[in-house]
């Protein structure tokens, strides 16, 4: 098998450097163009940089490494955060959440809230976006009610409290 060193007239090194400046959706789009770009899009160092810049992840080893699949898992959790915040606002910011599936989704969402609020907003794209979504959904009110609620699952008030503490700590600095 012959090693390809160019994409058209462009050396692979130049293409890889361009990909370093792309956001995750563009890297995924570029990967579909040809095998060479697909190989460049699978570079773990690229996904490590994207995880760090978008999500504030410093240690990808604890996640099993940096890859498109790892990044995609974060995006799926992000979708749950937005859905959970909207559902909590729509239902009047309850102190408890009924239903096994809804609670499971809420726990995933709250864990990401804890993680993102522990990262300074200027160090991760989604950390800043979370704060905007919390504002739009009156999320602090939901978090306060969940923290004070009497839920059977102790993790819901714990994660709510930890998210609020991270936000308060950030406001003080």
């Amino acid at each position: 098998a012959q090693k390809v060193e160019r994409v058209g007239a462009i050396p692979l090194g130049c293409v890889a450097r361009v990909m370093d400046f792309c956001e995750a959706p563009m890297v995924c789009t570029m990967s579909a163009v040809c095998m060479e770009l697909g190989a460049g899009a699978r570079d773990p160092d690229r996904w490590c940089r994207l995880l760090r810049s978008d999500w504030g992840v410093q240690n990808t080893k604890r996640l099993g490494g940096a890859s498109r699949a790892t990044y995609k898992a974060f995006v799926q959790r992000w979708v749950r955060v937005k859905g959970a915040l909207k559902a909590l606002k729509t239902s009047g910011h309850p102190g408890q959440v009924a239903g096994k599936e809804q609670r499971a989704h809420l726990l995933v969402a709250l864990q990401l809230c804890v993680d993102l609020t522990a990262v300074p907003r200027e160090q991760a794209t989604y950390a800043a976006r979370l704060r905007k979504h919390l504002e739009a959904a009156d999320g602090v009110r939901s978090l306060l009610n969940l923290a004070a609620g009497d839920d059977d699952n102790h993790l819901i008030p714990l994660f709510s409290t930890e998210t609020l503490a991270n936000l308060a700590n950030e406001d003080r600095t």
Side-chain angles (χ1 to χ4, degrees), residues 16-35:
R17 188 70 179 127
V18 168
M19 288 178 97
D20 286 342
F21 292 96
C22 294
E23 294 180 0
M26 180 55 72
V27 171
C28 293
T29 301
M30 290 175 74
S31 73
V33 172
C34 65
M35 288 185 343

PDB file of all heavy atoms in Angstrom, residues 16-35:
ATOM      1  N   ALA A  16      -3.737  18.867   7.949  1.00  0.00           N
ATOM      2  CA  ALA A  16      -3.850  18.579   9.383  1.00  0.00           C
ATOM      3  C   ALA A  16      -3.799  19.868  10.191  1.00  0.00           C
ATOM      4  O   ALA A  16      -4.536  20.034  11.170  1.00  0.00           O
ATOM      5  CB  ALA A  16      -2.740  17.629   9.815  1.00  0.00           C
ATOM      6  N   ARG A  17      -2.963  20.780   9.792  1.00  0.00           N
ATOM      7  CA  ARG A  17      -2.852  22.062  10.513  1.00  0.00           C
ATOM      8  C   ARG A  17      -4.145  22.865  10.393  1.00  0.00           C
ATOM      9  O   ARG A  17      -4.596  23.480  11.359  1.00  0.00           O
ATOM     10  CB  ARG A  17      -1.662  22.853   9.963  1.00  0.00           C
ATOM     11  CG  ARG A  17      -1.334  24.072  10.741  1.00  0.00           C
ATOM     12  CD  ARG A  17      -0.749  23.694  12.111  1.00  0.00           C
ATOM     13  NE  ARG A  17      -0.425  24.920  12.812  1.00  0.00           N
ATOM     14  CZ  ARG A  17      -0.840  25.208  14.031  1.00  0.00           C
ATOM     15  NH1 ARG A  17      -1.535  24.337  14.716  1.00  0.00           N
ATOM     16  NH2 ARG A  17      -0.529  26.332  14.598  1.00  0.00           N
ATOM     17  N   VAL A  18      -4.758  22.846   9.217  1.00  0.00           N
ATOM     18  CA  VAL A  18      -6.040  23.532   9.026  1.00  0.00           C
ATOM     19  C   VAL A  18      -7.098  22.899   9.936  1.00  0.00           C
ATOM     20  O   VAL A  18      -7.882  23.599  10.579  1.00  0.00           O
ATOM     21  CB  VAL A  18      -6.481  23.484   7.544  1.00  0.00           C
ATOM     22  CG1 VAL A  18      -7.936  23.923   7.385  1.00  0.00           C
ATOM     23  CG2 VAL A  18      -5.572  24.358   6.691  1.00  0.00           C
ATOM     24  N   MET A  19      -7.092  21.570  10.026  1.00  0.00           N
ATOM     25  CA  MET A  19      -8.073  20.881  10.869  1.00  0.00           C
ATOM     26  C   MET A  19      -7.906  21.255  12.338  1.00  0.00           C
ATOM     27  O   MET A  19      -8.874  21.234  13.106  1.00  0.00           O
ATOM     28  CB  MET A  19      -7.954  19.365  10.701  1.00  0.00           C
ATOM     29  CG  MET A  19      -8.476  18.862   9.368  1.00  0.00           C
ATOM     30  SD  MET A  19      -8.259  17.080   9.203  1.00  0.00           S
ATOM     31  CE  MET A  19      -9.880  16.534   9.688  1.00  0.00           C
ATOM     32  N   ASP A  20      -6.687  21.620  12.724  1.00  0.00           N
ATOM     33  CA  ASP A  20      -6.447  22.027  14.120  1.00  0.00           C
ATOM     34  C   ASP A  20      -7.245  23.276  14.495  1.00  0.00           C
ATOM     35  O   ASP A  20      -7.502  23.515  15.665  1.00  0.00           O
ATOM     36  CB  ASP A  20      -4.956  22.291  14.366  1.00  0.00           C
ATOM     37  CG  ASP A  20      -4.142  21.010  14.436  1.00  0.00           C
ATOM     38  OD1 ASP A  20      -4.736  19.931  14.629  1.00  0.00           O
ATOM     39  OD2 ASP A  20      -2.913  21.103  14.302  1.00  0.00           O
ATOM     40  N   PHE A  21      -7.630  24.065  13.513  1.00  0.00           N
ATOM     41  CA  PHE A  21      -8.365  25.303  13.782  1.00  0.00           C
ATOM     42  C   PHE A  21      -9.877  25.136  13.610  1.00  0.00           C
ATOM     43  O   PHE A  21     -10.627  26.083  13.797  1.00  0.00           O
ATOM     44  CB  PHE A  21      -7.868  26.433  12.876  1.00  0.00           C
ATOM     45  CG  PHE A  21      -6.472  26.862  13.202  1.00  0.00           C
ATOM     46  CD1 PHE A  21      -5.391  26.354  12.500  1.00  0.00           C
ATOM     47  CD2 PHE A  21      -6.234  27.746  14.242  1.00  0.00           C
ATOM     48  CE1 PHE A  21      -4.096  26.736  12.816  1.00  0.00           C
ATOM     49  CE2 PHE A  21      -4.942  28.126  14.571  1.00  0.00           C
ATOM     50  CZ  PHE A  21      -3.874  27.619  13.851  1.00  0.00           C
ATOM     51  N   CYS A  22     -10.301  23.932  13.263  1.00  0.00           N
ATOM     52  CA  CYS A  22     -11.723  23.678  13.026  1.00  0.00           C
ATOM     53  C   CYS A  22     -12.425  23.230  14.303  1.00  0.00           C
ATOM     54  O   CYS A  22     -11.839  22.578  15.149  1.00  0.00           O
ATOM     55  CB  CYS A  22     -11.889  22.587  11.966  1.00  0.00           C
ATOM     56  SG  CYS A  22     -11.309  23.062  10.339  1.00  0.00           S
ATOM     57  N   GLU A  23     -13.699  23.580  14.373  1.00  0.00           N
ATOM     58  CA  GLU A  23     -14.528  23.082  15.452  1.00  0.00           C
ATOM     59  C   GLU A  23     -14.949  21.650  15.132  1.00  0.00           C
ATOM     60  O   GLU A  23     -14.861  21.212  13.981  1.00  0.00           O
ATOM     61  CB  GLU A  23     -15.749  23.981  15.636  1.00  0.00           C
ATOM     62  CG  GLU A  23     -15.381  25.371  16.122  1.00  0.00           C
ATOM     63  CD  GLU A  23     -16.586  26.262  16.314  1.00  0.00           C
ATOM     64  OE1 GLU A  23     -17.721  25.812  16.072  1.00  0.00           O
ATOM     65  OE2 GLU A  23     -16.380  27.417  16.721  1.00  0.00           O
ATOM     66  N   ALA A  24     -15.414  20.945  16.130  1.00  0.00           N
ATOM     67  CA  ALA A  24     -15.732  19.523  15.987  1.00  0.00           C
ATOM     68  C   ALA A  24     -16.670  19.210  14.815  1.00  0.00           C
ATOM     69  O   ALA A  24     -16.396  18.272  14.058  1.00  0.00           O
ATOM     70  CB  ALA A  24     -16.293  18.981  17.295  1.00  0.00           C
ATOM     71  N   PRO A  25     -17.769  19.952  14.613  1.00  0.00           N
ATOM     72  CA  PRO A  25     -18.641  19.608  13.474  1.00  0.00           C
ATOM     73  C   PRO A  25     -17.921  19.707  12.124  1.00  0.00           C
ATOM     74  O   PRO A  25     -18.152  18.885  11.243  1.00  0.00           O
ATOM     75  CB  PRO A  25     -19.784  20.628  13.563  1.00  0.00           C
ATOM     76  CG  PRO A  25     -19.799  21.047  14.993  1.00  0.00           C
ATOM     77  CD  PRO A  25     -18.367  21.012  15.446  1.00  0.00           C
ATOM     78  N   MET A  26     -17.041  20.677  11.987  1.00  0.00           N
ATOM     79  CA  MET A  26     -16.309  20.812  10.729  1.00  0.00           C
ATOM     80  C   MET A  26     -15.308  19.673  10.558  1.00  0.00           C
ATOM     81  O   MET A  26     -15.112  19.166   9.448  1.00  0.00           O
ATOM     82  CB  MET A  26     -15.594  22.158  10.662  1.00  0.00           C
ATOM     83  CG  MET A  26     -14.818  22.368   9.366  1.00  0.00           C
ATOM     84  SD  MET A  26     -15.808  22.180   7.851  1.00  0.00           S
ATOM     85  CE  MET A  26     -16.797  23.639   7.906  1.00  0.00           C
ATOM     86  N   VAL A  27     -14.660  19.246  11.642  1.00  0.00           N
ATOM     87  CA  VAL A  27     -13.742  18.106  11.561  1.00  0.00           C
ATOM     88  C   VAL A  27     -14.510  16.876  11.091  1.00  0.00           C
ATOM     89  O   VAL A  27     -14.035  16.127  10.224  1.00  0.00           O
ATOM     90  CB  VAL A  27     -13.042  17.849  12.917  1.00  0.00           C
ATOM     91  CG1 VAL A  27     -12.267  16.542  12.895  1.00  0.00           C
ATOM     92  CG2 VAL A  27     -12.116  19.003  13.265  1.00  0.00           C
ATOM     93  N   CYS A  28     -15.704  16.673  11.615  1.00  0.00           N
ATOM     94  CA  CYS A  28     -16.523  15.530  11.202  1.00  0.00           C
ATOM     95  C   CYS A  28     -16.911  15.637   9.729  1.00  0.00           C
ATOM     96  O   CYS A  28     -16.870  14.641   8.998  1.00  0.00           O
ATOM     97  CB  CYS A  28     -17.772  15.431  12.072  1.00  0.00           C
ATOM     98  SG  CYS A  28     -17.395  15.017  13.788  1.00  0.00           S
ATOM     99  N   THR A  29     -17.267  16.829   9.288  1.00  0.00           N
ATOM    100  CA  THR A  29     -17.611  17.040   7.884  1.00  0.00           C
ATOM    101  C   THR A  29     -16.414  16.764   6.987  1.00  0.00           C
ATOM    102  O   THR A  29     -16.537  16.082   5.963  1.00  0.00           O
ATOM    103  CB  THR A  29     -18.124  18.480   7.668  1.00  0.00           C
ATOM    104  OG1 THR A  29     -19.274  18.680   8.489  1.00  0.00           O
ATOM    105  CG2 THR A  29     -18.471  18.730   6.222  1.00  0.00           C
ATOM    106  N   MET A  30     -15.259  17.284   7.368  1.00  0.00           N
ATOM    107  CA  MET A  30     -14.050  17.070   6.568  1.00  0.00           C
ATOM    108  C   MET A  30     -13.694  15.590   6.495  1.00  0.00           C
ATOM    109  O   MET A  30     -13.192  15.116   5.474  1.00  0.00           O
ATOM    110  CB  MET A  30     -12.884  17.869   7.144  1.00  0.00           C
ATOM    111  CG  MET A  30     -13.026  19.373   6.969  1.00  0.00           C
ATOM    112  SD  MET A  30     -11.716  20.301   7.790  1.00  0.00           S
ATOM    113  CE  MET A  30     -10.331  19.981   6.684  1.00  0.00           C
ATOM    114  N   SER A  31     -13.968  14.852   7.556  1.00  0.00           N
ATOM    115  CA  SER A  31     -13.605  13.434   7.585  1.00  0.00           C
ATOM    116  C   SER A  31     -14.373  12.621   6.549  1.00  0.00           C
ATOM    117  O   SER A  31     -13.926  11.551   6.149  1.00  0.00           O
ATOM    118  CB  SER A  31     -13.834  12.851   8.978  1.00  0.00           C
ATOM    119  OG  SER A  31     -15.207  12.696   9.237  1.00  0.00           O
ATOM    120  N   ALA A  32     -15.517  13.127   6.131  1.00  0.00           N
ATOM    121  CA  ALA A  32     -16.335  12.415   5.157  1.00  0.00           C
ATOM    122  C   ALA A  32     -15.892  12.655   3.717  1.00  0.00           C
ATOM    123  O   ALA A  32     -16.376  12.001   2.799  1.00  0.00           O
ATOM    124  CB  ALA A  32     -17.796  12.815   5.324  1.00  0.00           C
ATOM    125  N   VAL A  33     -14.959  13.587   3.501  1.00  0.00           N
ATOM    126  CA  VAL A  33     -14.547  13.946   2.150  1.00  0.00           C
ATOM    127  C   VAL A  33     -13.715  12.851   1.485  1.00  0.00           C
ATOM    128  O   VAL A  33     -13.961  12.482   0.338  1.00  0.00           O
ATOM    129  CB  VAL A  33     -13.776  15.287   2.157  1.00  0.00           C
ATOM    130  CG1 VAL A  33     -13.170  15.592   0.801  1.00  0.00           C
ATOM    131  CG2 VAL A  33     -14.696  16.409   2.604  1.00  0.00           C
ATOM    132  N   CYS A  34     -12.739  12.343   2.199  1.00  0.00           N
ATOM    133  CA  CYS A  34     -11.872  11.308   1.631  1.00  0.00           C
ATOM    134  C   CYS A  34     -11.181  10.538   2.760  1.00  0.00           C
ATOM    135  O   CYS A  34     -11.218  10.954   3.917  1.00  0.00           O
ATOM    136  CB  CYS A  34     -10.838  11.907   0.679  1.00  0.00           C
ATOM    137  SG  CYS A  34      -9.651  13.007   1.470  1.00  0.00           S
ATOM    138  N   MET A  35     -10.550   9.441   2.417  1.00  0.00           N
ATOM    139  CA  MET A  35      -9.892   8.604   3.422  1.00  0.00           C
ATOM    140  C   MET A  35      -8.782   9.354   4.145  1.00  0.00           C
ATOM    141  O   MET A  35      -8.598   9.186   5.345  1.00  0.00           O
ATOM    142  CB  MET A  35      -9.325   7.340   2.772  1.00  0.00           C
ATOM    143  CG  MET A  35     -10.390   6.371   2.358  1.00  0.00           C
ATOM    144  SD  MET A  35      -9.834   4.770   1.702  1.00  0.00           S
ATOM    145  CE  MET A  35      -8.151   4.969   1.289  1.00  0.00           C
TER     146      MET A  35
END
